[in-house]
């Protein structure tokens, strides 16, 4: 069955504050999507509405054409993995995993046990006694082993050290290849995770800044470096994200299509044309948008 998630004019307001505003997008098929945004941009709120943890003030999330809110059939197909307060949880890790298995029809307990060994997670420990990194590992294990058709990871790696995060990234990709589904990864560690993404959605100040294929986004970002006068000429009327100057040399980051004639002109002036990383584009697109 092809999975389709559709956001229709999603808005959320808390008291007098607008958290997310009029968000529309469609995700179709099995893929890994990066949900990017600065702290407070609205990523967690958006995912919590998709997971039916809360209703939207306006609009709706549809899963294969059905509203997810208060829909047990739809909710069974979605898992929301996030940091949780487990301070008062007295159950052992093994029991927590047992409970998850009972609630999730696609749960693979053998895979959960394999992941516990990879993360060195002690299943005989009480959940409340785990370190923050081990708590994150427990949530990630349940998220991966559940194999829900729609799997949402909301900065689920928080508390993990670099080796544990690397295991997480490896397992997301490995299990996605073996058991394809729609995975949404909310993150601010873009440089570590961008290799996983097929599509990218950027939320900024509660609004959807862009939603496109990752390669399409990257193709529209470039850097021009060289003689300052020539750089100014080539970047005139372009969307310049950042400018750096040193003597008679200038470097600019540009977001927009590099036309063939501009590329030829740049090379004729001896300018260097470089690529931009997804993290660079994210940082400066949100900075520029913030100040406009």
């Amino acid at each position: 069955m092809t999975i389709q998630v559709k956001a229709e004019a999603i808005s959320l307001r808390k008291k007098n504050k607008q958290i997310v505003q009029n968000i529309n997008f469609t995700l179709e098929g099995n893929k890994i999507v990066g949900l990017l945004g600065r702290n407070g941009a609205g990523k967690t709120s958006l995912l919590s509405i998709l997971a039916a943890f809360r209703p939207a003030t306006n609009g709706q999330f549809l899963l294969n054409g059905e509203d997810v809110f208060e829909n047990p059939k739809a909710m069974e197909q979605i898992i929301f993995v996030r940091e949780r307060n487990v301070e008062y949880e007295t159950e052992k890790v093994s029991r927590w995993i047992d409970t998850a298995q009972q609630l999730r029809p696609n749960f693979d307990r053998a895979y959960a046990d394999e992941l516990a060994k990879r993360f060195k997670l002690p299943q005989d420990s009480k959940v409340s006694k785990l370190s923050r990194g081990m708590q994150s590992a427990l949530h990630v294990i349940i998220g991966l082993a559940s194999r829900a058709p729609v799997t949402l990871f909301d900065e689920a790696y928080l508390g993990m050290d670099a080796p544990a995060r690397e295991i997480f990234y490896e397992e997301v990709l490995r299990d996605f290849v073996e058991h394809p589904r729609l995975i949404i990864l909310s993150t601010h560690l873009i440089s570590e995770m961008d290799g996983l993404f097929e599509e990218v959605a950027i939320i900024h100040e509660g609004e959807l800044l862009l939603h496109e294929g990752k390669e399409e986004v990257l193709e529209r970002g470039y850097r021009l470096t060289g003689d300052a006068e020539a750089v100014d000429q080539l970047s005139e009327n372009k969307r310049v994200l950042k400018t750096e100057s040193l003597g008679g040399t200038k470097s600019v980051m540009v977001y927009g299509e590099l036309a063939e004639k501009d590329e030829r002109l740049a090379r004729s002036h001896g300018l260097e044309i470089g690529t931009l990383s997804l993290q660079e584009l994210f940082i400066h697109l949100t900075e520029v948008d913030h100040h406009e």
Side-chain angles (χ1 to χ4, degrees), residues 262-274:
D262 289 338
E263 183 175 355
R264 288 196 301 268
L265 189 58
R267 298 197 186 284
S268 72
H269 284 81
L271 300 184
E272 179 183 336
I273 304 173

Side-chain angles (χ1 to χ4, degrees), residues 22-72:
N22 195 35
I23 291 181
N24 296 273
F25 61 79
T26 299
L27 304 175
E28 192 157 7
N30 300 314
K31 62 185 68 173
I32 301 178
V33 180
L35 179 63
L36 315 180
R38 292 172 179 260
N39 290 338
K43 303 187 303 298
T44 297
S45 295
L46 186 66
L47 292 179
S48 68
I49 297 169
L50 172 54
F53 277 39
R54 66 172 69 185
T57 307
N58 294 294
Q60 60 183 348
F61 264 115
L62 302 177
L63 175 60
N64 293 337
E66 296 185 13
D67 191 343
V68 301
F69 191 66
E70 295 185 339
N71 181 341

Side-chain angles (χ1 to χ4, degrees), residues 74-113:
M75 291 168 63
E76 190 179 70
Q77 299 181 71
I78 303 171
I79 189 165
F80 185 26
V81 183
R82 71 203 191 285
E83 192 172 39
R84 297 171 57 184
N85 181 7
V86 296
E87 181 181 358
Y88 301 107
E89 296 292 343
T90 58
E91 287 187 338
K92 291 187 176 182
V93 169
S94 59
R95 178 58 186 157
W96 250 52
I97 298 175
D98 288 342
T99 300
Q101 183 178 11
Q102 293 167 9
L103 297 173
R104 296 289 171 181
N106 299 325
F107 198 95
D108 186 331
R109 183 53 193 261
Y111 181 46
D113 291 339

Side-chain angles (χ1 to χ4, degrees), residues 86-278:
V86 296
E87 181 181 358
Y88 301 107
E89 296 292 343
T90 58
E91 287 187 338
K92 291 187 176 182
V93 169
S94 59
R95 178 58 186 157
W96 250 52
I97 298 175
D98 288 342
T99 300
Q101 183 178 11
Q102 293 167 9
L103 297 173
R104 296 289 171 181
N106 299 325
F107 198 95
D108 186 331
R109 183 53 193 261
Y111 181 46
D113 291 339
E114 177 188 336
L115 288 173
K117 290 178 181 177
R118 282 212 72 187
F119 282 108
K120 297 181 172 57
L121 177 68
Q123 293 201 44
D124 58 348
S125 293
K126 289 184 178 180
V127 172
S128 60
K129 299 300 183 182
L130 296 174
S131 68
R132 190 183 180 202
M134 287 293 102
Q135 290 174 21
S136 296
L138 174 58
H139 300 324
V140 161
I141 288 166
I142 290 173
L144 286 168
S146 292
R147 296 202 172 118
V150 180
T151 301
L152 315 174
F153 288 106
D154 184 23
E155 297 192 354
Y157 50 76
L158 291 176
M160 289 184 178
D161 57 19
R165 293 199 304 273
E166 188 66 26
I167 292 172
F168 172 48
Y169 307 150
E170 289 175 0
E171 290 297 336
V172 166
L173 187 57
R174 181 167 76 99
D175 205 57
F176 171 78
V177 171
E178 295 178 2
H179 301 275
R181 53 211 192 258
L182 175 60
I183 297 177
I184 301 178
L185 294 168
S186 167
T187 182
H188 63 272
L189 296 180
I190 301 168
S191 61
E192 287 191 8
M193 300 178 69
D194 62 2
L196 298 173
F197 306 151
E198 180 177 339
E199 291 183 8
V200 174
I202 297 181
I203 305 294
H204 184 57
E205 296 184 342
E207 298 184 357
L208 183 64
L209 191 63
L210 65 82
H211 169 225
E212 295 181 77
K214 182 185 71 175
E215 295 307 317
E216 285 73 24
V217 175
L218 291 174
E219 285 173 3
R220 284 203 301 278
Y222 60 94
R223 179 185 280 107
L224 291 176
T225 305
D227 176 74
E229 187 175 338
V231 168
D232 286 340
Q233 179 184 346
L234 265 294
S235 59
E236 188 178 8
N237 299 322
K238 301 287 196 302
R239 186 175 182 183
V240 175
L241 303 179
K242 184 179 181 182
T243 301
E244 296 177 312
S245 298
L246 181 61
T249 299
K250 179 177 278 190
S251 178
V252 296
M253 292 184 185
V254 180
Y255 187 69
E257 183 180 353
L258 179 61
E260 284 188 23
K261 64 180 182 61
D262 289 338
E263 183 175 355
R264 288 196 301 268
L265 189 58
R267 298 197 186 284
S268 72
H269 284 81
L271 300 184
E272 179 183 336
I273 304 173
T275 59
L276 299 180
S277 69
L278 183 60

